[in-house]
Amino acid sequence: MKKRYVLSLVALASILFISSTALVAFSYLSNRPVSRDAPELLFTVSRGASAYSITANLAEKSLVRSRFFTYYATRFFSFSLKAGTYRLSSSMSTLAILHYIADGKQEYTRVTIPEGLSLVKTARHLENTGIVSAAAFLASARDPAVLSAHGISGKTAEGFLFPDTYFFSQGMDADELVGTMVDTFFTRIADLDNVPTDPSKLFDKVVLASIIEREYRVAAEAPLIASVFANRIRIGMGLQSCATIEYIITEIQNKPHPGRLLVSDLSIPSDYNTYVWAGLPPGPISSPGLVALKAAFSPADTKYLYFRLTDTEAGTHSFTRSLDEHVQAGRQLDLKKAAGN
């Protein structure tokens, strides 16, 4: 009886030894890199993805040897895998990959959104950098739920996508991306003077700023241009902004940017045609920067109703109070050009 008991203990010990040895060997082999020399690739962890689906995807991409080991390693070591896009390689061990994702060491791309871009051009710019598809970005920027969540009273996020330098992760969620740019807009205008608190009045100022953005070339003149438009709005005069005609041609009609505007272009039937309709167009035509926004919020106090580009190299304008003065400024410009030739 005692001998049989001893044999049972020996057998059990052998089984435990073999099992533990096998488990250690399995863990060692499973944690080893799939390849010693492998290129890096971008791996995206979707928001809300489960540990099981993430580890299965890692195995499918041949980044880890064992889906089974990888999944249970997340449980054993209590890894909390974070959403984002990561630059990984199959030359990394399984535990190193899990640590990388758990630490949130995402791959970011530096993206600069220039001032004056339209919504569509912003979407294309982001797509060209590989951040997000243009279609997904546009859908989010036109989603009423997204707009409402960020306090935008317009039909799109046009004008509220603040031009700045951002660090976005590859494959970033479109709603999050739009939200980041809109939140940046509200953060950057918070310290400016005369910012309307009423959403509809703020929207009108952004529309005005988007036009100023496309008209001014010298920052010091932006408040003067803003005063011209403010004075015209006050007396019910059309803004007569060439920038709105260019917007119709390029953004609504999807035609190439015109080398110069024709007289016939000024009568294009569109709500955005500020030569046909007085007041502001129905929405912004670009993403204004701080210079244009400051000018729209705080226009200069003038009686100017007209402005004309008089120095193409310097980008400066002449500002006048009457049509006669405006015409005279044009004649002087013609004489200057003739003398230069």
Side-chain angles (χ1 to χ4, degrees):
M1 184 71 178
K2 186 176 180 180
K3 183 177 181 181
R4 182 180 299 176
Y5 177 74
V6 171
L7 290 174
S8 298
L9 288 177
V10 171
L12 179 60
S14 299
I15 292 172
L16 290 174
F17 175 77
I18 293 172
S19 298
S20 60
T21 301
L23 181 60
V24 170
F26 172 75
S27 300
Y28 171 74
L29 292 174
S30 297
N31 186 46
R32 289 180 61 196
V34 174
S35 173
R36 290 188 176 182
D37 185 18
E40 295 180 327
L41 59 84
L42 294 177
F43 180 82
T44 299
V45 176
S46 301
R47 188 178 300 277
S50 66
Y52 182 84
S53 65
I54 296 170
T55 54
N57 200 12
L58 286 169
E60 183 180 326
K61 301 289 186 183
S62 297
L63 286 167
V64 297
R65 289 180 177 274
S66 168
R67 181 177 66 183
F68 173 83
F69 171 79
T70 308
Y71 173 72
Y72 283 100
T74 64
R75 290 290 177 256
F76 183 80
F77 293 103
S78 299
F79 284 120
S80 178
L81 304 181
K82 296 180 174 63
T85 298
Y86 303 88
R87 189 173 293 276
L88 305 176
S89 170
S90 55
S91 62
M92 300 168 65
S93 72
T94 297
L95 292 180
I97 287 174
L98 293 177
H99 272 293
Y100 208 82
I101 299 175
D103 290 342
K105 296 179 179 179
Q106 296 188 51
E107 181 68 16
Y108 291 99
T109 299
R110 186 176 185 269
V111 180
T112 297
I113 307 297
E115 296 171 343
L117 282 192
S118 67
L119 171 60
V120 172
K121 287 185 174 65
T122 300
R124 291 173 184 163
H125 183 64
L126 289 169
E127 182 173 80
N128 290 338
T129 61
I131 300 298
V132 68
S133 73
F137 183 81
L138 289 172
S140 178
R142 293 166 176 164
D143 186 343
V146 173
L147 301 175
S148 176
H150 293 280
I152 298 176
S153 59
K155 294 181 179 180
T156 76
E158 181 100 69
F160 292 84
L161 302 168
F162 193 78
D164 206 346
T165 296
Y166 297 90
F167 290 88
F168 293 134
S169 61
Q170 298 286 331
M172 189 174 179
D173 179 76
D175 288 355
E176 182 181 358
L177 209 160
V178 170
T180 297
M181 298 180 72
V182 173
D183 288 345
T184 301
F185 169 87
F186 283 104
T187 298
R188 296 299 295 275
I189 70 169
D191 295 328
L192 300 184
D193 294 329
N194 303 318
V195 179
T197 56
D198 180 83
S200 62
K201 291 181 179 179
L202 174 61
F203 181 79
D204 287 346
K205 289 293 186 180
V206 173
V207 174
L208 179 58
S210 74
I211 298 174
I212 297 169
E213 180 63 56
R214 297 292 300 276
E215 293 281 3
Y216 90 88
R217 290 175 59 184
V218 177
E221 291 188 349
L224 297 175
I225 292 174
S227 75
V228 171
F229 290 143
N231 291 337
R232 289 185 173 189
I233 290 172
R234 189 182 65 254
I235 65 174
M237 180 180 175
L239 298 184
Q240 298 179 10
S241 167
C242 293
T244 61
I245 306 300
E246 292 170 352
Y247 180 83
I248 296 168
I249 293 172
T250 60
E251 304 297 327
I252 297 177
Q253 297 183 341
N254 294 315
K255 294 180 180 179
H257 194 284
R260 64 187 180 89
L261 294 179
L262 305 175
V263 174
S264 58
D265 293 330
L266 305 185
S267 60
I268 296 174
S270 171
D271 290 343
Y272 282 85
N273 190 335
T274 55
Y275 281 85
V276 174
W277 303 104
L280 294 168
I285 64 171
S286 73
S287 293
L290 284 178
V291 170
L293 288 164
K294 286 180 181 179
F297 296 148
S298 304
D301 184 10
T302 76
K303 296 184 182 302
Y304 294 139
L305 288 174
Y306 300 90
F307 65 93
R308 180 191 296 275
L309 181 67
T310 50
D311 190 328
T312 54
E313 290 188 7
T316 54
H317 298 77
S318 66
F319 294 85
T320 51
R321 294 175 294 180
S322 69
L323 181 59
D324 287 342
E325 291 177 350
H326 182 63
V327 171
Q328 183 61 30
R331 288 172 180 166
Q332 291 176 357
L333 178 60
D334 291 339
L335 291 174
K336 182 178 179 181
K337 288 181 178 178
N341 293 335

